[in-house]
Amino acid sequence: MADKDQNNQSTELEELAKDNQNLKNNVTLGQKYLMWIIIALSVVAVAVLIYIFAVRQPGVKASNEAISQADITLAQGNDSLALAQYQQVAADYGYEAGSRAALMAATLNYKKGDYEAAIADLKNFDAKEAVVGAAAMSLEGDCYVNLKNYSAALASYDKAIKVSDNNALYTPLFMMKKATVLREQKDFAAELKVLEAVKADYPQYPATYRIDIDKYIARAKYQAGESK
């Protein structure tokens, strides 16, 4: 009986020793994993710091200096040179300066009537702020209107309306532009719907800009009925 108890005790001690060894192995493995995770995070942190201080900050500084020079050129009245400078900044840099340069180039090209070039410039534009982004989409729509590509113009105005996010000053302006294009397409029912939305959702806008919205609504309603 004593031998049996001794054998059982020996077995239990062996199992306990085995469990302790497994636990020790797991702890050691866990420590190795933790060490590699720490090393990996450290590498990522170093890479981020290198990007910020060796790449991004010098890039931002260079782009800001470049667009400042273009701004000075424009202020001096040399639109052609300023246009070339803005386009160069947009091509060479990202960041906010590169995006603003693209919008400035598009505006200058629109001003001189080169609507296709203005649309191409806007492809390099990436707005971080809703109103500016909506204005860019509206400018794109204006370019398409001048090119008589009315379906593309409507798509651009719809984007401007969405991006402007119910801005009381700009959203109804984009809606009125959309209504004008719909009228040009003789889609008077759709025009009427947009005009009525302007009156209902932005009642102050027509009064502020002395727009006789009721007259436009009545005209669209009459012509929508006539076209049926």
Side-chain angles (χ1 to χ4, degrees), residues 152-185:
L154 288 175
S156 296
Y157 290 141
D158 281 337
K159 290 177 185 177
I161 291 166
K162 182 178 180 180
V163 172
S164 61
D165 195 24
N166 298 316
N167 182 288
L169 180 61
Y170 294 103
T171 302
L173 168 63
F174 305 145
M175 293 173 72
M176 292 298 294
K177 289 185 176 186
K178 178 180 179 179
T180 301
V181 174
L182 290 169
R183 179 170 183 77
E184 186 67 26
Q185 293 182 314

Side-chain angles (χ1 to χ4, degrees), residues 62-92:
S63 65
N64 287 338
E65 289 174 352
I67 198 171
S68 295
Q69 183 56 57
D71 291 339
I72 292 171
T73 303
L74 181 63
Q76 292 172 342
N78 193 337
D79 289 8
S80 297
L81 180 56
L83 172 59
Q85 290 174 330
Y86 283 127
Q87 288 178 325
Q88 192 65 48
V89 174
D92 291 347

Side-chain angles (χ1 to χ4, degrees), residues 12 51 80 97 124 134 221:
E12 290 175 357
Y51 171 75
S80 297
N124 292 320
K221 187 178 294 186

